[in-house]
Amino acid sequence: MGHLNLVPFEFWSLWAVFAISIIGLGYALFLRGQILRKDKGDSKMQEVWNAIRLGADAYLNRQLKTILPLIVVLAGVLFLSVYVVPPSAEAIERFPGATPDQLKLYMGLGRMVAFIMGAFFSLIVGQFGMRMAVQGNVRVAAAARSSFSEALKIAYRSGTITGMLTDGLGLFGGTVIFMFFGMAAPDALLGFGFGGTLLALFMRVGGGIYTKAADVGADLVGKVEAGIPEDDPRNAAVIADLVGDNVGDCAGMAADIFESYEVTIVSGLILGVALVAITHEIKWIVFPLLVRGIGVLSSIVGTYLVRGKDDGTGDAMASINTGFYASAAISLAAFAVLAHFYMHEWSAFWSVGVGIALALALDELTKYFTDTHYKPVKEIAGATKTGSATLILRGLVVGFESAVWQTIVIAVTILASVIIYWGKDPVFVLYGVAMTGIGMLTLTGNNVAMDSFGPIADNANGIGEMAGLDNKARQIMADLDAVGNTTKAITKGVAIGSAVIAAVSLFGSFLTDVAKVQAAQGVELINQLSSTGIRVSAPAVFIGMLIGGAIPWLFSSLTINSVARAAALIVEEVRRQFRIPGLMEGKVAPDYKQAVGICTSAAQRELISLALICVITPLIIGMLLGVEALGGFLAGIILSGQLLAVFMATAGGAWDNAKKTIEDGLHGGKGSEAHKAAVVGDTIGDPLKDTAGPALNPMIKVINLVSLLAAPILIMNEIQNQGNIPASVIITSIVGGLIVVGAIVYSKLGGFGKKSESAVKF
């Protein structure tokens, strides 16, 4: 690392951060060994568990085959992308003596390898983490037969494996790329972030469609029509539903938070490089990596503290919060020491501190609007007494209001960065926003553990019901499941907030990178984008913003439509099987594989078409309307996507928990008219909170990263053509537009010439 001119403390600190990333991965393997040594229960429990495991494996294998071709194509595109623009000053400094062609080869290979590494790491987080969640669920059910404390510990530590993979791999990738490329690292890091983000989009969208198609179909026929319990073994969709919990909330959410983790470090280092150019101090780049290293260590301590009372009773949520707050306290104390003795100023400390405060604030807001103990959910539950319509209206009210307050909290957070760096260069403010995102995701290990805890507890409860465990064990699992619903809602709030902060910091990187290319091409400072800003008054920019604001609505429409289409097939399949003689009497076993096949096919069909929309749309806007209009497009995406994602996630979560309060005995309990109304609300909310809402997070970041990667090329063409649009650009835009229209039509029609989902086998 001699090319970085580090002082001894910085040199050894970077190696320490690298070692911490390995420690985080080692901790995940340590927990894996602990979990696998636990009892898997009796043969009936293992039979149910094995069906879940096979269904999850089938889904992941199909998904991998679907996305690999696109990964290969994009890896080649990223390699070639560096050949269009001249080598950066940082690349020339990093590889002295290299010719321009050699520099392009080095940076092209670096970006391509980083892209593959980011995609591969995201895949590991989702796939390995989900498989460990599947291994944990049956062991939680087995432990619940004798101990609340042991069941809680197994469930949380199974989820912690995913959390530490997210922490360890994200930190490992960012650190290795920076150690090798030094100040030229942002060029390669863009590929790393894009790889992780693209895979997160696939896993989030695919997992969300799968889980809600199964859930909605199972609930409509099982609960509403047949009046049987949620995880009744006679329901042909019950295994698909349990598999869906894993592919959606384990694989999907883990990949989602992992790419936020990657993207914030990418934007932090890009803006850090800009600050190094201003201050000539490399501390602005080293500090984010040190913060991330501290976060990994604090998460290890905090997650290991989570356990129930020795007498077998206790509050699971309180124990989880204890671990979370312990990690937060350790992190803040370490950040303060780092700010005083290394940074020699407190602005960076306040930025990461604000990020942790933002995570806590979003936790509390989400809890207020979705937890059963607070007024909003109680009011929704009360509305069931007058039917489904009033229940749905009340849920819409809660969703709309929550979007307002969460947006205000994020706005105040960004304002805090302005205040912290008041009077300094605007790049400092943007860096502060990026550090807020890094601070917010400091406790990623804890957050992902909390999220994965939810589906693990849910699966354990389902296994317990299908295996006929005793009432004491069922009550323990029901209590853990209820807590899991709250932790899932909390982490959805954190994921959405982190997506917006990451997108804003990427937006800052977009302005910085465009201005850098403009300066290299001789554009005067007063005319550079960093000086003019994004002028909404310009018609082209306003058009870009309008289109950007519409994209999240289109994306949500397509994903919800896919869920509705697949759920209808599940409904017909479950109804058909209910008519099989002897099935309702328990004499004949249902065909679970058929429902799993329907959901698997539905989840895979949408992936490529939605990815094409995300990748091509910003390129068309940039080519036809210009780079500044592309900035307006990004602003529209961020604002519209934030409001819509929070609305859908909160409304869906509130409807879900309102149903659960009624199932616990409120307003007549299970089987009552109030319960039937609540199930309808929950069914509507399911694709909102678990498919469309969360899918907007990676969508926002994919579009931002594509724009950031394309911006240097677009601005060079814009300058060279003096604002004119060549015929080749028009033709390329028309072709791209036709591909986008084809992708939309393909999604709306359910594919061209595809086999029926019900014919899919695994």
Side-chain angles (χ1 to χ4, degrees), residues 153 195 239 252 300 388 406 562:
K153 189 165 66 173
I239 293 296
I300 289 174
S388 302
Q406 287 211 24
S562 180

Side-chain angles (χ1 to χ4, degrees), residues 462-492:
I463 291 171
E465 181 169 329
M466 294 184 72
L469 296 190
D470 60 72
N471 290 336
K472 178 186 175 183
R474 290 297 315 286
Q475 187 58 53
I476 288 174
M477 287 183 287
D479 292 342
L480 293 177
D481 189 11
V483 172
N485 286 324
T486 301
T487 59
K488 284 192 295 184
I490 289 171
T491 48
K492 281 186 177 68

Side-chain angles (χ1 to χ4, degrees), residues 570-644:
I570 290 290
V571 167
E572 292 299 325
E573 178 61 24
V574 175
R575 284 174 176 168
R576 181 189 70 78
Q577 294 202 31
F578 276 168
R579 292 193 293 268
I580 296 174
L583 188 141
M584 293 303 290
E585 293 77 20
K587 298 177 181 178
V588 177
D591 182 2
Y592 299 123
K593 290 185 178 182
Q594 194 76 347
V596 170
I598 291 172
C599 296
T600 300
S601 177
Q604 304 312 308
R605 186 181 52 240
E606 304 296 329
L607 297 183
I608 301 301
S609 58
L610 292 174
L612 288 174
I613 292 171
C614 293
V615 171
I616 295 176
T617 306
L619 299 179
I620 296 174
I621 297 296
M623 287 188 292
L624 291 181
L625 299 180
V627 171
E628 189 177 347
L630 179 57
F633 176 81
L634 297 180
I637 286 272
I638 294 169
L639 177 59
S640 174
Q642 148 73 12
L643 290 168
L644 188 57

Side-chain angles (χ1 to χ4, degrees), residues 84-171:
V84 184
V85 294
S88 65
E90 292 81 10
I92 295 172
E93 183 182 344
R94 171 62 186 90
F95 300 104
T99 65
D101 286 341
Q102 288 174 328
L103 283 175
K104 290 178 179 179
L105 176 64
Y106 297 157
M107 298 312 299
L109 287 173
R111 182 175 285 186
M112 181 181 71
V113 171
F115 169 75
I116 294 170
M117 188 165 65
F120 181 62
F121 284 0
S122 186
L123 197 66
I124 289 176
V125 167
Q127 293 225 2
F128 189 81
M130 195 209 76
R131 285 186 163 95
M132 282 312 303
V134 173
Q135 291 290 338
N137 56 31
V138 71
R139 291 167 169 86
V140 172
R145 296 176 300 179
S146 57
S147 170
F148 168 85
S149 174
E150 186 68 8
L152 169 61
K153 189 165 66 173
I154 293 172
Y156 192 78
R157 290 186 181 177
S158 297
T160 301
I161 294 171
T162 310
M164 296 317 300
L165 286 173
T166 303
D167 261 346
L169 290 173
L171 186 60

Side-chain angles (χ1 to χ4, degrees), residues 693-755:
L696 291 177
N697 303 340
M699 182 216 73
I700 292 170
K701 284 170 283 189
V702 165
I703 290 177
N704 271 269
L705 277 167
V706 169
S707 302
L708 191 53
L709 284 162
I713 301 171
L714 294 172
I715 194 64
M716 278 193 60
N717 287 333
E718 199 173 307
I719 293 170
Q720 291 171 0
N721 293 308
Q722 299 180 340
N724 297 318
I725 304 176
S728 59
V729 170
I730 294 175
I731 294 171
T732 303
S733 300
I734 291 173
V735 172
L738 291 174
I739 292 173
V740 170
V741 171
I744 295 170
V745 173
Y746 177 90
S747 180
K748 289 176 68 67
L749 296 180
F752 303 134
K754 294 284 185 182
K755 292 181 181 179

Side-chain angles (χ1 to χ4, degrees), residues 526-543:
I526 194 172
N527 294 321
Q528 293 174 18
L529 199 61
S530 57
S531 299
T532 63
I534 305 297
R535 295 166 293 190
V536 181
S537 58
V541 177
F542 194 75
I543 291 169

Side-chain angles (χ1 to χ4, degrees), residues 505-518:
S505 56
L506 284 175
F507 190 63
S509 301
F510 174 83
L511 297 175
T512 303
D513 272 13
V514 169
K516 187 176 176 182
V517 175
Q518 287 176 320

Side-chain angles (χ1 to χ4, degrees), residues 27-325:
Y27 180 53
L29 293 176
F30 167 73
L31 293 179
R32 177 181 180 273
Q34 276 193 348
I35 300 303
L36 293 180
R37 286 193 294 270
K38 301 297 182 182
D39 178 33
K40 290 192 292 186
D42 58 33
S43 59
K44 181 61 178 175
M45 295 167 65
Q46 292 187 41
E47 180 184 342
V48 177
W49 165 73
N50 198 49
I52 298 171
R53 182 181 63 81
L54 291 175
D57 288 348
Y59 166 80
L60 291 176
N61 292 335
R62 280 286 302 276
Q63 183 184 64
L64 191 60
K65 292 177 182 177
T66 301
I67 62 181
L68 273 180
L70 186 61
I71 297 298
V72 172
V73 171
L74 288 176
V77 171
L78 286 175
F79 172 74
L80 296 173
S81 65
V82 301
Y83 280 83
V84 184
V85 294
S88 65
E90 292 81 10
I92 295 172
E93 183 182 344
R94 171 62 186 90
F95 300 104
T99 65
D101 286 341
Q102 288 174 328
L103 283 175
K104 290 178 179 179
L105 176 64
Y106 297 157
M107 298 312 299
L109 287 173
R111 182 175 285 186
M112 181 181 71
V113 171
F115 169 75
I116 294 170
M117 188 165 65
F120 181 62
F121 284 0
S122 186
L123 197 66
I124 289 176
V125 167
Q127 293 225 2
F128 189 81
M130 195 209 76
R131 285 186 163 95
M132 282 312 303
V134 173
Q135 291 290 338
N137 56 31
V138 71
R139 291 167 169 86
V140 172
R145 296 176 300 179
S146 57
S147 170
F148 168 85
S149 174
E150 186 68 8
L152 169 61
K153 189 165 66 173
I154 293 172
Y156 192 78
R157 290 186 181 177
S158 297
T160 301
I161 294 171
T162 310
M164 296 317 300
L165 286 173
T166 303
D167 261 346
L169 290 173
L171 186 60
F172 178 86
T175 305
V176 167
I177 291 171
F178 175 67
M179 290 171 75
F180 183 79
F181 284 100
M183 299 295 290
D187 281 342
L189 282 168
L190 284 174
F192 184 62
F194 184 48
T197 303
L198 190 66
L199 260 291
L201 177 69
F202 288 140
M203 301 190 83
R204 208 51 179 116
V205 172
I209 292 171
Y210 186 114
T211 183
K212 291 304 110 180
D215 197 1
V216 170
D219 282 356
L220 284 177
V221 186
K223 287 185 179 181
V224 177
E225 295 183 8
I228 60 177
E230 181 168 353
D231 293 314
D232 193 294
R234 294 170 292 179
N235 191 328
V238 70
I239 293 296
D241 188 10
L242 292 171
V243 171
D245 291 332
N246 292 288
V247 300
D249 283 315
C250 288
M253 178 61 85
D256 184 359
I257 295 182
F258 175 75
E259 49 101 7
S260 287
Y261 190 91
E262 283 184 337
V263 164
T264 51
I265 199 68
V266 168
S267 57
L269 292 181
I270 289 174
L271 294 166
V273 168
L275 287 184
V276 171
I278 295 172
T279 65
H280 306 292
E281 294 179 295
I282 202 169
K283 66 181 185 180
W284 304 106
I285 299 177
V286 176
F287 181 69
L289 295 172
L290 292 175
V291 166
R292 279 285 157 82
I294 290 168
V296 172
L297 291 178
S298 64
S299 287
I300 289 174
V301 175
T303 54
Y304 207 74
L305 292 176
V306 175
R307 62 192 68 194
K309 294 181 180 179
D310 291 334
D311 61 3
T313 63
D315 186 341
M317 195 70 232
S319 181
I320 291 172
N321 283 336
T322 297
F324 186 85
Y325 290 125

